[in-house]
Amino acid sequence: MRQNNQAATSESPAMSFFSSRHLYPAHLSTIKTRVDTALSRHGFDHLLVASGIEKMRFLDDTPYPFKVNPQFKQWLPLTRHPHCWIAYTPGRKPVLAYYQPDDYWHVPPSPPEGEWVEHFDIRVLADPVEAVLHLPTNGRSAIIGEADAALPGFAPNNPKAVLDYLHFHRAFKTPYELALMRLAQRKGARGHVAARHAFLGRESEAGINAAFLAAAGHTDSDVPYNNIVALNQNGATLHYQYKQFEAPSEHRSLLIDAGAEVDGYASDITRTWANGDQAFAELVSAVDNEQQQLAGKVRADLDYRDLHLETHLRLGGVLKALDIVDMDPGNMLETGVTSTFFPHGLGHPIGLQVHDVAGFSDVDGKLIPRPEGHPFLRMTRTLAPGMVVTIEPGIYFIPTLLEKLKATAQAKSVNWKKVEHLTRFGGVRIEDEVHCTDAAPENLTRDAFAELG
Ligand code: GLY
Ligand code: MN
Ligand code: MN
């Protein structure tokens, strides 16, 4: 399947879809079954899904990068196509209203092609409003989309109960989705290898980012989230958003959190590299070791919240073993000391969105609470086969949090000299995606790096 304006590289959507094409019909059938149940449970006759519209900058004629409605791209691998609609009535072939203008300012979408085409009744539109001719006017429609996608008579109503059901089930990946996610890992891993090279070659953050993008086959605007490329102490800012063009005088450490996308499915990978300093290298290696142990514990029926709390205990063990904090790890967790060094959650579900939906809700949209004192955990569900979650522990030296720790009774147990030394390196995060199966987990990220050799 060749998508609009995209070069056919070794892992272009054309190739990726080819390698996963035999899995597509079963995927579509799963999506239809989920939608059939959601509609019948909540009294709807049809599901309409808008791909979305291109949004313009304020008082400007320049668009923001188009980001498709995730509920649209789970039906078919179209991610660059505004003004399209899917209209599905249970028991019937879904209709795809496919916008293909005659446009000589931009490259227009190419004619639909690929395995998915035969599964849709495709109606080509030259004008977005023509879609109304192809949408059902009888019965009750659940219309999923942003408000600005509305057409006359078809304003998105986004019924919460329907969305809750679909969001909840999106956690369980189909074999087709897993195949695409494996490819997204491979693309991301290639980028990470190139980024590490650029770091050792003393490139700037912007230069390292460029190396990642070139190797991953992405531009800055089509990565699944903004890359975090942090040299030295910048690694202490969890979502560090800049990329300096000037290289620093020393390349002490690199924390790079960057992923890739294939047919709308994301990878989200973090690696931290040390360069010369033994204490920091030991810390990276210790966090990496704990991360692999935690990833290996992903199992059906495990409450992800328990794994998050276990992470605190393990990281507390690292702080103690490396002579950073002299306290029992359980005591560190209870008194909040581990949260000073690890102030985010263990991870989150991932798939069509990097932070996939329904990480903390049940099938009816009811909140599954976070453990008290852990407000940033994005996943509170019990693991089950088909789920893919990130496992991303970290230890950081964040000046504002360290200042707060200094004012507590636990401050006396901290080796401030070592903390001061490590602060120059920012922090460590190691992040993989792990697929929960019926048995041992599949570490999608480590497998992808191993394939690269
Ligand atoms: N890249 C953001 C995260 O790891 O969740
Ligand atoms: Mn993540
Ligand atoms: Mn990440």
Side-chain angles (χ1 to χ4, degrees):
M1 203 272 318
R2 180 82 188 268
Q3 284 186 351
N4 176 27
N5 192 25
Q6 214 158 23
T9 61
S10 61
E11 258 167 35
S12 67
M15 285 301 291
S16 64
F17 194 74
F18 180 77
S19 58
S20 52
R21 67 191 306 171
H22 65 289
L23 301 171
Y24 177 75
H27 167 76
L28 183 62
S29 159
T30 300
I31 300 299
K32 284 183 189 166
T33 304
R34 288 176 189 166
V35 171
D36 292 351
T37 308
L39 295 181
S40 80
R41 269 195 189 184
H42 302 294
F44 289 94
D45 305 297
H46 318 282
L47 181 83
L48 313 186
V49 190
S51 68
I53 68 164
E54 214 170 31
K55 296 175 201 304
M56 294 293 164
R57 296 181 194 179
F58 184 52
L59 301 179
D60 201 336
D61 63 357
T62 304
Y64 291 109
F66 174 69
K67 299 294 171 193
V68 72
N69 174 356
Q71 287 289 337
F72 182 89
K73 65 177 172 172
Q74 78 173 333
W75 283 81
L76 74 196
L78 294 181
T79 58
R80 302 180 160 203
H81 297 67
H83 302 297
C84 296
W85 287 75
I86 290 165
Y88 172 66
T89 306
R92 299 214 197 124
K93 193 172 194 175
V95 169
L96 171 67
Y98 186 80
Y99 178 56
Q100 194 183 22
D102 181 9
D103 184 354
Y104 56 85
W105 292 97
H106 308 98
V107 179
S110 48
E113 57 176 315
E115 167 71 19
W116 60 270
V117 166
E118 67 185 78
H119 300 279
F120 287 81
D121 175 358
I122 298 176
R123 322 273 175 87
V124 175
L125 322 171
D127 189 313
V129 78
E130 287 171 19
V132 299
L133 304 173
H134 308 287
L135 303 180
T137 49
N138 64 323
R140 287 186 70 204
S141 290
I143 308 179
I144 311 298
E146 285 184 279
D148 57 13
L151 291 173
F154 296 94
N157 52 8
N158 296 310
K160 182 176 177 317
V162 171
L163 276 177
D164 284 341
Y165 186 90
L166 296 178
H167 284 170
F168 178 84
H169 285 91
R170 240 170 68 187
F172 309 109
K173 271 55 185 181
T174 65
Y176 164 82
E177 292 179 304
L178 289 165
L180 294 176
M181 291 182 76
R182 288 185 193 105
L183 292 173
Q185 293 293 330
R186 237 193 272 167
K187 263 178 100 166
R190 275 207 298 267
H192 274 271
V193 170
R196 183 177 185 216
H197 252 79
F199 166 61
L200 296 175
R202 309 177 75 79
E203 290 274 5
S204 65
E205 291 169 346
I208 295 167
N209 186 48
F212 175 90
L213 293 173
H218 272 300
T219 66
D220 246 338
S221 63
D222 64 10
V223 284
Y225 57 94
N226 293 332
N227 293 346
I228 297 165
V229 184
L231 287 170
N232 304 337
Q233 64 281 358
N234 294 338
T237 303
L238 297 181
H239 283 174
Y240 174 68
Q241 70 272 46
Y242 301 119
K243 286 149 193 120
Q244 311 286 351
F245 273 89
E246 202 173 320
S249 56
E250 284 183 331
H251 281 65
R252 296 187 288 269
S253 58
L254 169 68
L255 187 158
I256 173 166
D257 183 342
E261 190 168 303
V262 171
D263 286 347
Y265 288 87
S267 58
D268 176 10
I269 303 170
T270 309
R271 289 293 180 266
T272 306
W273 304 111
N275 187 27
D277 184 85
Q278 196 189 335
F280 187 67
E282 274 172 10
L283 182 66
V284 173
S285 160
V287 174
D288 185 62
N289 180 45
E290 296 304 334
Q291 192 272 354
Q292 291 193 56
Q293 308 273 340
L294 289 160
K297 293 199 138 198
V298 164
R299 284 285 184 296
D301 298 327
L302 176 67
D303 186 330
Y304 192 86
R305 293 174 293 191
D306 291 341
L307 201 57
H308 170 80
L309 295 174
E310 179 175 338
T311 305
H312 274 263
L313 295 176
R314 285 175 172 270
L315 294 176
V318 169
L319 292 170
K320 188 166 170 60
L322 296 186
D323 189 28
I324 298 169
V325 181
D326 187 17
M327 283 171 71
D328 163 71
N331 200 0
M332 280 193 233
L333 169 59
E334 271 164 36
T335 54
V337 171
T338 45
S339 295
T340 296
F341 295 93
F342 174 48
H344 59 75
L346 172 60
H348 49 86
I350 181 168
L352 287 163
Q353 289 161 245
V354 63
H355 295 153
D356 222 2
V357 286
F360 26 72
S361 27
D362 69 11
V363 68
D364 298 314
K366 212 168 115 249
L367 190 76
I368 305 168
R370 298 174 169 111
E372 206 176 316
H374 296 264
F376 302 115
L377 183 59
R378 288 175 171 275
M379 170 74 179
T380 55
R381 286 169 70 170
T382 294
L383 295 170
M387 285 185 174
V388 179
V389 290
T390 69
I391 299 290
E392 48 181 305
I395 289 183
Y396 311 86
F397 301 90
I398 302 171
T400 54
L401 299 185
L402 292 170
E403 279 309 308
K404 286 184 189 143
L405 179 61
K406 264 190 185 148
T408 67
Q410 288 71 43
K412 63 180 184 317
S413 306
V414 176
N415 178 348
W416 291 105
K417 197 152 173 265
K418 187 149 189 186
V419 166
E420 195 182 323
H421 174 75
L422 290 169
T423 299
R424 299 161 67 241
F425 301 84
V428 181
R429 177 164 67 256
I430 309 286
E431 176 176 25
D432 291 341
E433 266 83 89
V434 183
H435 167 210
C436 177
T437 74
D438 286 325
E442 176 190 6
N443 188 320
L444 302 176
T445 312
R446 301 270 168 177
D447 288 355
F449 278 106
E451 273 175 40
L452 294 184

